[in-house]
Amino acid sequence: MNRAMHHIGPPLVALALLLGTWELLVRALAVPAFLLPPPSAIAQATADNASMLANGLVQTGFTAVIGFLLSALIGNLTAWLLGTFRILERAFYPYTLFLQTVPIVTVAPLLVLWFGSGTKAVAVAAFIVSVFPVITGTLSGMRAVDPNLRDLFRLYGAGRLAVLAKLEIPAALPQTVTGLRVASGLAVIGTIVGEFVAGFADGKPGLGIIVLTAYRQLKTDLLFAAVLGSSVLGLGLFASVQLLGHHLLRRWHPSARN
Amino acid sequence: MPGAISLRFERVDRRFDDGLVAIEGLDLTIDAGSFTVLLGPSGCGKSTLLRLAAGLDEPQSGRVVLAEDGVDRSPKGGPTGFVFQEAQLLPWRTLEANVALPLELAGDTTAAELHARVDEALRRVGLAGAATRMPHELSGGMKMRASLARALVRAPRLFLLDEPFGALDELTRLRLDDELRALAKDLRITVLFVTHSIQEAAYLADRVIVFSPRPARIVGDYASPFADVRHADQRFSEPFAAFVGTLHDALVRGGA
């Protein structure tokens, strides 16, 4: 109990101070609510729109998780292929940079053309935004394998597949986890941005749609509530990946051993 | 039990792409069942020589031959165990899983046989009680023992060691020297052991070959003054000191 308070006490006090100051200043200076609503109004808007926000959270969360899983799967498969065949890496790696640099807002209309508005296009947007760190993470981990260990596997007659499965993939795991951690945050961002452009279908508005609608109606308190929802979502996904990584590395890697 | 294996270098040249000459015109025969120490300054090309013997590297000209029961064969895929300067264990595997790796990769043992051979190898190096520990939980000496067990598990007949105990504390090193020699003699394994420590060479070897700085030339080739069995007291004897002096002089004459 005491130890828990030691950890969560200070940030809780800081939060209370911040919210209190915010509330007081907004009231004292009579700031218009459409510019900056006080925390009490945001709390009220959250309560009033609880079911819409909850549905938005589920919709956006679902899409972000799909995008993230696509990134994890396709990103790692790509890295394994590029890492195994040098010629593929030389041929294709420069183009994976495209995924890193292309502004998703410019691609999103294309996605709508190809996949139609809705979850599918948004998930692909989340995937495009989040796959690059997975590829580079795993690939750089594979590259960093100790040459002596490669020699050892060669000495014991290991084939390419055995080297991949028993040496490169496990050795790269710490970097893979780092890549996935970055990807989890990006997947949520990609989903929200994707929803701005392609999220208007299927009658299940995600948090991105709620943000847009609230903005157009100058319901700034609701806007704040949706923003809060998306950061909770990003945190949740990040924490899940963190937990998974910790579980995978706990037995052997210094990063997970404290 | 199959006979021990011998090793021949025949006019071997090894140059690297950057023009570095590691080995030039090397002729050398290592007798079956002998414990041979290669002594030379760091970076003189001894490690290259071991890699050639393991089939991990190829000479530009000349050839490296393993002779097994009188039949010549290439070093590639030979019955060879290799131990590096670092233990080089896979940190995500337990000790027993690390030791099992060569058998796993060869894929020609049943699960029961694999278990039996891993247990036997761990017992040989005194790690029977630590089978399920992770590498990071072990001391440097224990890691090196595990590395030895991994090299032993496929019943090698040629054992190549590249300054294996260089990073260990003195007492651990002396103990492992003794154990390694006893083990090799007991299992009739031909050993090629690289070191830059004169004392270690003098104590361990049946034969010490002294190399010059790069490119590696043989500047001395000496038989040990001791009989087959070693014991720690020999390190403080008159003949040992004389042998150390001889090796030292050869190194200096070679330009080290």
Side-chain angles (χ1 to χ4, degrees):
Chain A
M1 185 59 207
N2 242 335
R3 265 194 63 212
M5 272 320 284
H6 180 76
H7 280 290
I8 59 169
L12 277 183
V13 171
L15 183 71
L17 276 175
L18 186 81
L19 292 179
T21 315
W22 179 352
E23 183 84 34
L24 284 176
L25 277 180
V26 167
R27 282 168 191 263
L29 302 174
V31 180
F34 74 89
L35 278 185
L36 185 63
S40 57
I42 296 171
Q44 188 60 48
T46 308
D48 292 347
N49 301 284
S51 85
M52 180 177 68
L53 284 167
N55 287 335
L57 196 77
V58 169
Q59 170 63 22
T60 302
F62 174 74
T63 316
V65 167
I66 299 283
F68 171 75
L69 290 178
L70 280 176
S71 280
L73 190 75
I74 297 175
N76 276 307
L77 282 173
T78 307
W80 297 342
L81 265 173
L82 298 190
T84 304
F85 303 103
R86 285 259 161 179
I87 181 75
L88 288 185
E89 184 184 6
R90 248 174 292 153
F92 288 110
Y93 188 71
Y95 302 111
T96 61
L97 282 170
F98 172 80
L99 294 169
Q100 167 80 338
T101 49
V102 63
I104 191 60
V105 209
T106 61
V107 184
L110 264 181
L111 298 178
V112 175
L113 281 179
W114 291 338
F115 301 101
S117 266
T119 310
K120 221 189 283 176
V122 178
V124 173
F127 158 74
I128 291 177
V129 171
S130 61
V131 72
F132 187 75
V134 181
I135 298 177
T136 36
T138 299
L139 199 55
S140 69
M142 290 170 71
R143 288 278 164 266
V145 169
D146 190 317
N148 281 337
L149 286 177
R150 290 189 184 280
D151 276 349
L152 195 76
F153 273 68
R154 207 143 67 81
L155 186 76
Y156 294 130
R160 202 61 199 78
L161 210 62
V163 172
L164 181 68
K166 290 176 196 272
L167 178 60
E168 291 175 330
I169 292 178
L173 200 58
Q175 282 96 322
T176 302
V177 167
T178 304
L180 289 176
R181 235 173 3 218
V182 177
S184 68
L186 290 176
V188 174
I189 296 173
T191 304
I192 303 270
V193 174
E195 283 176 347
F196 285 175
V197 181
F200 285 99
D202 37 27
K204 289 179 284 184
L207 291 173
I209 301 296
I210 297 176
V211 165
L212 268 193
T213 317
Y215 157 69
R216 288 190 184 135
Q217 299 172 349
L218 286 185
K219 287 187 185 161
T220 313
D221 43 7
L222 180 59
L223 183 87
F224 264 99
V227 168
L228 208 67
S230 24
S231 43
V232 165
L233 190 62
L235 249 130
L237 198 52
F238 183 88
S240 315
V241 174
Q242 178 82 328
L243 206 70
L244 176 78
H246 184 83
H247 180 75
L248 287 174
L249 298 174
R250 164 180 54 130
R251 278 209 76 188
W252 65 276
H253 200 258
S255 73
R257 250 191 276 135
N258 327 313
Chain B
M1 190 184 208
I5 208 164
S6 72
L7 175 67
R8 293 198 314 276
F9 294 81
E10 297 174 351
R11 307 207 51 75
V12 167
D13 286 322
R14 181 70 178 100
R15 286 175 299 275
F16 292 101
D17 292 340
D18 54 4
L20 209 72
V21 182
I23 293 170
E24 204 169 33
L26 179 77
D27 276 305
L28 178 62
T29 301
I30 306 294
D31 293 334
S34 69
F35 197 118
T36 305
V37 172
L38 309 180
L39 176 66
S42 291
C44 80
K46 305 181 303 274
S47 299
T48 306
L49 205 142
L50 280 197
R51 291 174 53 81
L52 288 167
L56 288 170
D57 195 2
E58 306 226 2
Q60 261 93 21
S61 62
R63 56 179 204 145
V64 183
V65 180
L66 304 189
E68 214 176 350
D69 308 321
V71 181
D72 284 359
R73 57 160 299 166
S74 126
K76 225 174 221 149
T80 307
F82 203 111
V83 178
F84 298 92
Q85 181 164 15
E86 310 283 328
Q88 301 291 0
L89 302 174
L90 303 180
W92 55 88
R93 286 182 173 227
T94 61
L95 275 204
E96 55 185 351
N98 261 292
V99 173
L101 181 74
L103 298 174
E104 224 177 281
L105 291 175
D108 53 5
T109 34
T110 64
E113 195 187 340
L114 184 139
H115 247 293
R117 287 172 67 174
V118 169
D119 286 350
E120 161 71 11
L122 283 171
R123 202 184 46 74
R124 278 258 177 209
V125 300
L127 284 181
T132 55
R133 307 273 293 275
M134 297 300 281
H136 70 84
E137 301 170 329
L138 306 176
S139 68
M142 285 171 90
K143 279 187 213 168
M144 203 31 95
R145 284 169 195 274
S147 196
L148 283 174
R150 180 178 60 189
L152 282 173
V153 77
R154 256 203 338 177
R157 290 159 60 208
L158 175 64
F159 219 23
L160 306 168
L161 302 101
D162 193 359
E163 303 188 15
F165 310 140
L168 302 179
D169 67 88
E170 186 77 10
L171 276 178
T172 308
R173 178 181 185 157
L174 295 178
R175 198 170 304 138
L176 278 172
D177 278 348
D178 277 329
E179 290 177 21
L180 173 69
R181 193 182 150 92
L183 209 66
K185 289 295 170 191
D186 188 30
L187 297 171
R188 301 214 302 147
I189 302 174
T190 308
V191 180
L192 216 50
F193 184 105
V194 162
T195 182
H196 55 239
S197 158
I198 301 175
Q199 310 276 337
E200 192 174 34
Y203 181 69
L204 266 182
D206 296 325
R207 175 188 181 195
V208 181
I209 300 170
V210 182
F211 286 90
S212 68
R214 209 190 286 272
R217 241 175 344 99
I218 296 175
V219 295
D221 191 340
Y222 306 92
S224 166
F226 300 111
D228 223 20
V229 179
R230 296 295 142 86
H231 47 91
D233 290 350
Q234 287 167 339
R235 290 198 186 95
F236 310 102
S237 69
E238 192 61 44
F240 185 80
F243 193 35
V244 165
T246 307
L247 297 178
H248 176 263
D249 290 347
L251 269 174
V252 172
R253 256 187 295 115

